[in-house]
């Protein structure tokens, strides 16, 4: 019955506990979420709220203790790793790009789930790598060595690698952790553009409330292993919610753009 | 500017045909030259011209008039050729396995023996050497061969492979084998086995010399019958490893990202470990433990041709083959020094030089 609805990704009553010295520490306690095609969703929560665990369950690199994840209506358990990688790409926090490779070579590693030739690449591979580099604004980096890249450039290369997978769903794991503000904004502008150009569905795990509320039309808040709020940022991110889930006193203010923003309470 | 950049297609699809031909062509040429020279030189003088003719006549089947003596032919074909081919097989297998283990562990210090192959093979070989002395009944069968392999070689092979499987099983927890755990378990198990070897050496008495000779590594026992067993095992696993270049490249991104790119990381690591250990054990069984080839050759080649395993694996196999054949030639000409001593003597300073020359390790971070 879930299968009939064919959401991009659907999470049903997910439970997960990490093994910890013989005992198990519950991280997720019944998370349910439905993500439709083309959505742009920010998943926020305090440290330890379980958001990175949730992302791993979505990517299929962890299996839930109870509940299930359905990708395009089919349980992730029924997909093989390669099949998942053709539908879902993950932009990690940081990856050590293996030194000695050129950017184009690393981006081509994103073609691995589609690989058909024993040694060479197909015309589709070449076209996909080119399009990925172009769309990630990394075309002029193609021939550079990965060791010569700045932080922002590395991020673009990782985006290109994810795009080379030609995924339907892009998962971002706190992708701005190591970027300055200008690069953070530019990354999300790129992601927003790509979502339209490539009809991507995007789920981003974020800890930055400002970024989430400014750039994402839908925000889900994870607190102590449960989704405690889910909706448009102006509905979800009230001062009360922030105080409860993040333990920080904030108040609303109207910015010069006429929109309401959360700011830290003064003393 | 931008238009120009966009017009130029980024070079993908791996190394160009020209580059592949150049790299592998030079490596094959190197192997060929070293092969002829190593077969031609020795305590009995046979001209390189005759050597090349005998090889061309016998190995390539070229119809040449026999201008050489039958003794020369016997020396070349029955003594030197199998020994040189053994050196090449062992060198190629160790260099391939070293490349693979360095990628699995993303660690430049990894070598083919890193998770216990050498220690396990040593214990097997020592038991094989001592068994007929400890249990006289076995002495009758000691000289016999099983499928062309002596008892020592068979036990060394079994010891190497068994150890790796045990290490893998011990390091496994909750369906995963973390590389650090694997590395440390390999170290611990190796230490236990090395202690057992030391104990056996302590009680070995007259057999001590044979044990020491085996442990130092030597190619003096190279023969066609050994090659007939070891070559298919080693070459088969090397070929299968070479076909897994893409998976090896993905592992360089780290386990998690490799998984995101569709690799079943745990299964892949097990498969690569078994194949690399198969090649290593086959090599060690017929040569003893020869060091540094499996450590140095991959580093050297990454510096010269880059870290892409598509080209790195076959190049490492060829260059490893040539280098060990060359080292064994030097060992022979130096009056029969064990080749393992020589590779360590030359390999270690060379390795230090490489370290100082390159601040980082291509493909391995750091």
């Amino acid at each position: 019955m879930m299968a009939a609805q064919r959401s991009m990704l659907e999470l049903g009553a997910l439970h997960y506990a990490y093994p910890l010295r013989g005992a198990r520490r519950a991280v997720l306690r019944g998370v349910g979420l439905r993500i439709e095609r083309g959505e742009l969703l920010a998943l926020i929560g305090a440290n330890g709220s379980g958001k990175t665990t949730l992302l791993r369950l979505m990517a299929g690199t962890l299996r839930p203790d109870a509940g299930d994840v359905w990708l395009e209506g089919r349980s992730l358990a029924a997909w093989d790793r390669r099949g998942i990688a053709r539908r879902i790409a993950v932009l990690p926090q940081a990856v050590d790009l293996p030194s000695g490779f050129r950017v184009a070579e690393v981006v081509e590693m994103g073609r691995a789930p589609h690989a058909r030739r024993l040694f060479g690449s197909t015309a589709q591979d070449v076209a996909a790598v080119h399009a990925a580099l172009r769309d990630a604004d990394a075309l002029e980096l193609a021939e550079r060595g990965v060791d010569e890249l700045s932080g922002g450039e590395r991020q673009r290369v990782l985006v290109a690698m994810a795009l080379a997978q030609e995924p339907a769903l892009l998962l971002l794991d706190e992708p701005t952790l190591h970027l300055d503000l200008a690069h953070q904004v530019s990354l999300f502008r790129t992601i927003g553009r790509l979502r339209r150009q490539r009809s991507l569905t995007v789920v981003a795990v974020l800890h930055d409330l400002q970024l989430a509320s400014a750039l994402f039309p839908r925000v889900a808040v994870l607190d102590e292993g449960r989704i405690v709020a889910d909706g448009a940022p102006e509905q979800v991110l009230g001062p009360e919610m922030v105080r409860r889930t993040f333990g920080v006193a904030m108040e609303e203010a109207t910015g010069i753009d006429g929109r309401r923003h959360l700011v830290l309470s003064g003393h | 500017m931008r238009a120009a950049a966009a017009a130029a297609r980024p070079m993908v699809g791996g190394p160009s045909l020209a580059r592949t031909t150049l790299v592998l062509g030079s490596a094959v040429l190197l192997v060929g030259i070293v092969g002829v020279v190593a077969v031609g030189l020795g305590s009995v003088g046979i001209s390189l011209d005759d050597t090349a003719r005998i090889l061309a006549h016998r190995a390539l089947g070229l119809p040449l008039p026999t201008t050489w003596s039958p003794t020369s032919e016997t020396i070349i074909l029955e003594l030197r050729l199998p020994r040189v081919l053994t050196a090449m097989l062992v060198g190629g297998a160790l260099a391939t396995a070293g490349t693979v283990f360095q990628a699995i562990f993303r660690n430049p210090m990894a070598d083919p023996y890193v998770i216990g192959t050498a220690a396990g093979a040593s214990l097997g070989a020592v038991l094989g050497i001592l068994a007929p002395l400890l249990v006289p009944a076995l002495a009758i069968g000691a000289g016999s061969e099983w499928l062309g392999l002596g008892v020592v070689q068979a036990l060394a092979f079994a010891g190497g492979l068994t150890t790796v499987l045990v290490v893998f099983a011990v390091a496994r927890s909750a369906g995963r084998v973390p590389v650090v755990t694997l590395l440390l378990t390999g170290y611990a198990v190796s230490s236990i086995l090395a202690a057992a070897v030391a104990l056996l050496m302590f009680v070995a008495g007259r057999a001590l010399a044979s044990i020491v000779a085996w442990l130092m590594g030597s190619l003096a026992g190279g023969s066609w019958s050994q090659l007939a067993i070891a070559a298919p095992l080693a070459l088969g696993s090397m070929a299968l490893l070479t076909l897994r270049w893409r998976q090896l490249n993905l592992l360089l991104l780290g386990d998690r990202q490799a998984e995101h790119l569709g690799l079943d990381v745990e299964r892949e690591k097990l498969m690569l470990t078994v194949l690399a250990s198969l090649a290593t054990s086959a090599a060690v069984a017929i040569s003893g433990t020869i060091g540094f080839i499996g450590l140095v050759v991959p580093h050297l080649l990454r510096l010269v041709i880059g870290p892409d395993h598509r080209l790195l694996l076959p190049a490492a196999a060829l260059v490893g083959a040539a280098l060990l054949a060359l080292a064994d030639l030097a060992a022979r000409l130096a009056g029969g020094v064990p080749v393992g001593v020589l590779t360590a003597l030359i390999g270690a300073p060379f390795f230090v030089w490489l370290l100082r020359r390159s601040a980082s390790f291509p493909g391995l971070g750091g």
Side-chain angles (χ1 to χ4, degrees):
Chain A
M1 54 192 172
M2 294 277 191
Q5 293 155 19
R6 309 277 280 165
S7 299
M8 184 72 239
L9 198 70
E10 176 148 357
L11 320 178
L14 285 182
H15 285 263
Y16 188 82
Y18 277 106
L20 188 74
R21 290 189 207 94
R24 289 178 74 82
R25 195 173 66 85
V27 183
L28 299 179
R29 311 151 192 263
V31 171
L33 204 60
R34 178 182 293 176
I35 300 147
E36 303 301 337
R37 274 165 215 282
E39 272 204 282
L40 183 57
L41 167 73
L43 199 62
I44 62 168
N47 290 341
S49 60
K51 48 191 196 307
T52 297
T53 304
L54 186 54
L55 190 97
R56 291 206 187 127
L57 289 167
M58 289 180 182
T61 53
L62 280 182
R63 297 260 181 248
D65 297 335
D68 209 346
V69 179
W70 292 271
L71 171 62
E72 296 174 335
R74 192 149 66 101
S75 166
L76 270 188
W79 292 74
D80 67 350
R81 272 249 59 89
R82 230 171 109 107
I84 295 174
R86 288 193 205 118
R87 305 303 291 157
I88 303 179
V90 180
L91 187 66
Q93 288 178 5
V95 160
D96 289 332
L97 293 175
S99 67
F101 283 98
R102 288 176 304 112
V103 167
E105 290 174 321
V106 171
V107 172
E108 202 191 354
M109 291 182 190
R111 295 301 295 165
H114 300 275
R116 292 219 305 273
R117 293 262 175 88
L118 219 45
F119 284 98
S121 317
T122 61
Q124 278 151 290
D125 291 331
V126 176
V129 170
H130 186 267
L133 284 164
R134 182 196 60 214
D135 290 353
D137 267 329
L139 206 49
E140 76 277 10
L141 304 175
E143 294 301 319
R144 297 254 296 273
V146 296
D147 311 271
E148 313 158 18
L149 302 177
S150 71
E153 288 168 341
R154 290 172 84 85
Q155 193 69 48
R156 274 146 66 196
V157 171
L158 288 175
V159 171
M161 202 199 299
L163 292 180
Q165 281 176 257
E166 298 183 317
L169 172 62
L170 181 60
L171 301 178
L172 313 177
D173 184 11
E174 307 208 26
T176 55
L177 212 57
H178 304 284
L179 296 179
D180 61 29
L181 190 59
H183 283 106
Q184 290 181 16
V185 173
S186 120
L187 174 67
F188 283 115
R189 292 247 161 83
T190 307
I191 300 288
R193 171 170 57 75
L194 290 173
R195 175 180 150 240
R196 290 189 303 277
Q197 281 176 349
R198 294 182 167 234
S199 33
L200 272 173
T201 309
V202 179
V203 178
V205 162
L206 292 177
H207 60 281
D208 190 319
L209 289 177
Q210 313 272 359
L211 271 178
S213 69
L215 300 169
F216 286 77
R218 180 182 171 197
V219 175
V221 183
L222 197 62
D223 187 29
E224 299 198 334
R226 289 191 185 84
I227 301 282
V228 293
D230 181 2
E234 53 274 22
Q235 292 155 8
V236 167
L237 294 175
E240 179 55 19
M241 169 62 66
V242 172
R243 193 188 55 73
R244 257 192 297 133
T245 57
F246 290 88
V248 178
M250 294 191 100
E251 52 199 54
E252 283 182 88
T254 306
I256 47 168
D257 55 0
R259 291 177 57 183
R260 291 180 307 145
H261 296 276
L262 286 172
V263 294
L264 275 173
S265 295
H267 291 283
Chain B
M1 279 295 285
R2 285 189 68 86
R9 282 247 147 151
M11 222 176 70
V12 295
S16 67
L17 192 62
R19 189 170 141 74
T20 309
T21 313
L22 175 70
V23 169
L24 296 186
S26 338
V28 168
L29 195 65
L30 178 70
V31 170
I33 293 171
V34 168
V36 172
V37 171
V39 171
L41 292 181
S43 49
V44 178
I46 299 170
S47 71
L48 279 183
D49 186 43
D50 273 355
T51 308
R53 284 162 160 277
I54 293 172
L55 288 178
H57 182 60
R58 286 296 175 186
L60 304 178
L62 298 182
L64 298 172
T66 32
T67 53
W68 53 83
S69 74
T71 326
S72 300
E73 186 171 315
T74 307
I75 290 175
I76 297 281
L77 293 181
E78 294 306 320
L79 296 175
R80 290 191 196 156
L81 188 57
R83 178 166 181 163
V84 170
L85 288 179
T86 302
M88 288 182 165
L89 184 73
V90 170
L94 293 179
T96 305
T99 310
V100 170
F101 279 123
Q102 285 171 8
I104 295 177
F105 292 109
R106 293 211 291 159
N107 186 323
M109 281 311 293
D111 76 357
Y113 307 140
V114 67
I115 53 170
T117 331
S122 301
L123 184 59
V126 171
L127 286 174
I129 293 169
L130 289 182
L133 304 174
L134 298 176
V135 188
L138 287 175
I140 308 154
S144 71
E145 294 194 339
W146 176 75
L147 286 177
L149 282 185
V151 175
V152 174
Q153 287 88 339
L155 284 179
F157 178 75
L161 210 56
T162 311
T163 306
V164 169
L165 295 176
V166 168
V167 166
F168 219 91
V170 171
R172 192 180 172 91
S173 82
R176 290 191 179 249
V177 182
V179 286
V180 177
T181 316
L182 191 59
L183 215 51
L184 294 176
T185 310
Y187 180 75
V189 171
S190 293
S191 304
I192 296 168
L193 297 177
V197 167
L199 184 66
L200 288 173
M201 288 170 77
F202 185 68
V203 299
R206 289 214 333 269
L208 187 59
S210 330
I211 294 177
V212 171
W214 193 91
L215 292 178
M216 285 196 294
S218 167
L219 296 158
S223 69
W224 288 115
S225 60
Q226 280 190 359
L227 275 175
I229 298 293
L233 279 171
L235 292 176
S237 11
M238 287 158 72
L240 291 175
L241 286 169
T242 306
L243 290 179
R244 309 199 77 74
W245 62 271
R246 206 187 310 261
Q247 290 86 333
L248 283 160
N249 280 352
L250 289 183
L251 284 177
L252 295 181
L253 293 166
D255 288 5
R256 183 157 292 152
Q257 184 67 4
E259 215 169 351
H260 292 155
L261 290 171
L263 193 66
D264 187 339
V265 170
E266 297 305 320
R267 196 173 133 261
E268 190 62 41
K269 281 194 290 200
L270 176 62
M271 188 132 59
L272 291 169
T273 305
V274 167
L275 286 173
S277 303
L278 207 59
T280 309
S281 299
V284 171
I286 58 172
S287 70
T289 50
I290 293 174
F292 279 96
I293 290 283
L295 179 68
V296 173
V297 172
H299 284 301
L300 176 69
L301 282 166
R302 276 192 205 93
L303 277 180
V304 179
I305 64 170
D308 187 350
H309 287 92
R310 194 169 354 194
L311 204 49
L312 183 58
L313 281 169
L318 290 165
V319 172
L323 282 187
L324 191 55
L326 211 54
D328 186 50
L329 173 65
R332 270 195 287 140
L333 296 181
V337 181
V339 68
V341 172
L342 209 71
T343 55
L345 272 179
I346 301 168
F350 181 68
F351 187 56
V352 172
W353 175 77
L354 268 186
L355 288 182
R356 295 182 56 85
R357 208 174 151 268
S358 62
S360 70
F361 300 95
L364 301 172

